[in-house]
Amino acid sequence: MKVISDKAVTQFLNKSLTKSTLLNEFVPTLFNGLKTYSQDPDHIVPPRIAQQSNNTESDTTHVYMPCISPEEVGIKVISGGQGNNSKGLGFVGCVLVMDEVTGELRAVLNANTLTAFRTALASILGLVKIISVDEQSEILPELTVFGVGLQAYWHVKLALSLYGDKIKVVNILNRSLENAVKLKEKFEKEVDNVVFNAFLYQSSKQDDFVNHIRNSSIIFGCTPATSPIIKTSYINQDPQWPVFISLIGSYKPHMIELDLGLVKLFKDKGVKIIVDSKEHTLHEAGELIQANYVPDDLVEIHELYNEHIPKVTETTSNITVQKIVGLSIMDLAMAKLVCNKISDENVVVVQDF
């Protein structure tokens, strides 16, 4: 049985992160997990349990997310609340990987970076089907991300790994300029030949960043916003250029990142929004709930890999929207891959658990 720390997960992912590995190993692994989930959702991802602590000194909510698929069996456990936030912890948790036949425990992984990576990879799963990574494809030269957490970091990192020198500028927008600058400086130490900008998205000086957003073919929303921060007026609507918007920040019905007017326009025109799960997004995603979406208004990511791709791009503007809320099978699929591939030198191996 392996015990895999967050540091070990991060080192493994960074070492493995190439365009070829992403497209030929990580993307297919996540795709297979989501396709398997779609065939029997209720049994493969049973209902999660979310309950606030019964400890009088705690405001922490504990969430247990099981997965029982033919190839991935285990559970993700995460905990969080304002008390954790005040201590600088945020959400904390782990993923338990079990043998899919016997149920024996094979690994325990820290869930922190693993969660951020699998969520970013889900965004990439849809992105690469809409905006090709081929050298011949043309995109706008900037990328914009709203948010500064690990989710934002890995979204940018994976996109840069895939689209390379097509992206000349990355714009980081956040409600705290100080934190946006910190992420900017982190990237500047890691990435050459890309300009990184930091902006305060609640600033009255919108002229500082709007043109940068309009010059972006790839836009990621990674904030728990409760009112739209990605305005339709910010987005390039020249059909010559593709625009792909992936939203992962709104995970409760009152949360919303994208302009509702654009979401309702997609619904009115019969353009489907891409999701990881129709059922889960319609319970959790504020944009879809507030715009009165139903299952027929959505298409799951794995369906993009069918021979006939459903209508997911609004043709007059060339905009595509994707919404990810996350599923335990995504965690288990990635955790199992890490468990199988990581060197035993970088983990704690318990021989007789």
Side-chain angles (χ1 to χ4, degrees):
M1 193 273 288
K2 298 179 180 180
V3 180
I4 306 176
S5 69
D6 189 57
K7 181 179 179 181
V9 171
T10 302
Q11 289 175 341
F12 169 80
L13 294 175
N14 280 323
K15 185 178 179 180
S16 307
L17 201 62
T18 65
K19 182 176 180 178
S20 175
T21 303
L22 275 172
L23 293 177
N24 298 318
E25 192 166 345
F26 287 108
V27 163
T29 297
L30 189 61
F31 165 77
N32 288 335
L34 289 172
K35 185 177 181 181
T36 300
Y37 158 78
S38 71
Q39 295 166 359
D40 193 4
D42 293 339
H43 289 103
I44 288 174
V45 178
R48 65 180 64 182
I49 296 172
Q51 181 174 311
Q52 189 163 338
S53 172
N54 287 318
N55 186 306
T56 56
E57 297 181 3
S58 174
D59 68 351
T60 298
T61 297
H62 303 288
V63 185
Y64 300 83
M65 295 175 282
C67 172
I68 308 172
S69 90
E71 301 297 329
E72 298 93 4
V73 174
I75 188 167
K76 178 181 182 180
V77 182
I78 57 171
S79 301
Q82 288 302 316
N84 276 18
N85 294 341
S86 65
K87 297 171 185 174
L89 292 174
F91 282 95
V92 295
C94 65
V95 177
L96 278 67
V97 180
M98 300 160 64
D99 185 279
E100 61 271 20
V101 176
T102 67
E104 294 172 287
L105 186 62
R106 293 188 54 203
V108 179
L109 297 85
N110 187 298
N112 192 37
T113 297
L114 186 73
T115 300
F117 178 84
R118 63 82 154 147
T119 308
L121 189 65
S123 286
I124 294 300
L125 201 62
L127 173 61
V128 297
K129 293 301 291 183
I130 304 302
I131 299 181
S132 172
V133 297
D134 293 343
E135 293 182 5
Q136 294 77 17
S137 66
E138 295 185 358
I139 62 172
L140 293 165
E142 302 193 37
L143 178 155
T144 295
V145 60
F146 289 79
V148 296
L150 264 183
Q151 303 276 12
Y153 171 80
W154 280 103
H155 272 76
V156 172
K157 193 156 185 169
L158 296 192
L160 290 177
S161 297
L162 289 172
Y163 293 93
D165 59 7
K166 292 182 182 181
I167 299 173
K168 309 293 186 184
V169 178
V170 171
N171 309 299
I172 303 165
L173 287 88
N174 195 52
R175 59 184 177 182
S176 161
L177 182 59
E178 179 184 1
N179 289 336
V181 170
K182 286 181 181 178
L183 184 56
K184 169 184 180 290
E185 292 173 344
K186 178 178 175 68
F187 273 122
E188 287 173 339
K189 293 176 182 177
E190 298 180 3
V191 181
D192 296 324
N193 303 318
V194 175
V195 175
F196 293 90
N197 296 320
F199 298 107
L200 184 69
Y201 67 66
Q202 293 175 324
S203 170
S204 59
K205 298 180 180 178
Q206 295 182 355
D207 291 344
D208 291 346
F209 59 76
V210 169
N211 287 335
H212 286 286
I213 300 174
R214 287 187 188 144
N215 205 29
S216 302
S217 275
I218 302 171
I219 300 172
F220 296 127
C222 304
T223 75
T226 54
S227 60
I229 55 174
I230 306 174
K231 311 285 189 181
T232 304
S233 60
Y234 296 172
I235 304 167
N236 190 303
Q237 297 181 50
D238 180 347
Q240 175 186 351
W241 301 105
V243 174
F244 186 90
I245 304 170
S246 190
L247 310 168
I248 66 98
S250 54
Y251 55 90
K252 292 184 179 180
H254 71 284
M255 293 178 174
I256 179 171
E257 295 184 283
L258 181 61
D259 203 325
L260 268 186
L262 182 60
V263 180
K264 291 177 179 177
L265 176 68
F266 270 55
K267 181 178 172 66
D268 292 343
K269 289 194 169 186
V271 180
K272 298 181 185 295
I273 286 181
I274 305 165
V275 298
D276 48 350
S277 163
K278 294 181 181 182
E279 178 185 359
H280 286 259
T281 52
L282 290 176
H283 280 95
E284 301 174 33
E287 286 90 354
L288 306 183
I289 294 169
Q290 293 181 39
N292 298 314
Y293 268 61
V294 296
D296 286 345
D297 298 322
L298 307 172
V299 58
E300 293 184 343
I301 298 175
H302 68 89
E303 296 179 71
L304 299 181
Y305 290 72
N306 295 338
E307 183 178 353
H308 301 291
I309 298 177
K311 183 180 178 182
V312 294
T313 300
E314 203 285 301
T315 53
T316 61
S317 62
N318 207 358
I319 296 173
T320 307
V321 176
Q322 177 175 265
K323 176 63 197 173
I324 305 295
V325 294
L327 300 164
S328 59
I329 195 167
M330 295 160 61
D331 299 284
L332 266 297
M334 287 299 103
K336 186 176 178 181
L337 185 151
V338 173
C339 176
N340 289 340
K341 296 286 185 177
I342 197 168
S343 170
D344 285 355
E345 298 173 358
N346 299 319
V347 305
V348 176
V349 179
V350 181
Q351 296 291 355
D352 187 15
F353 181 73

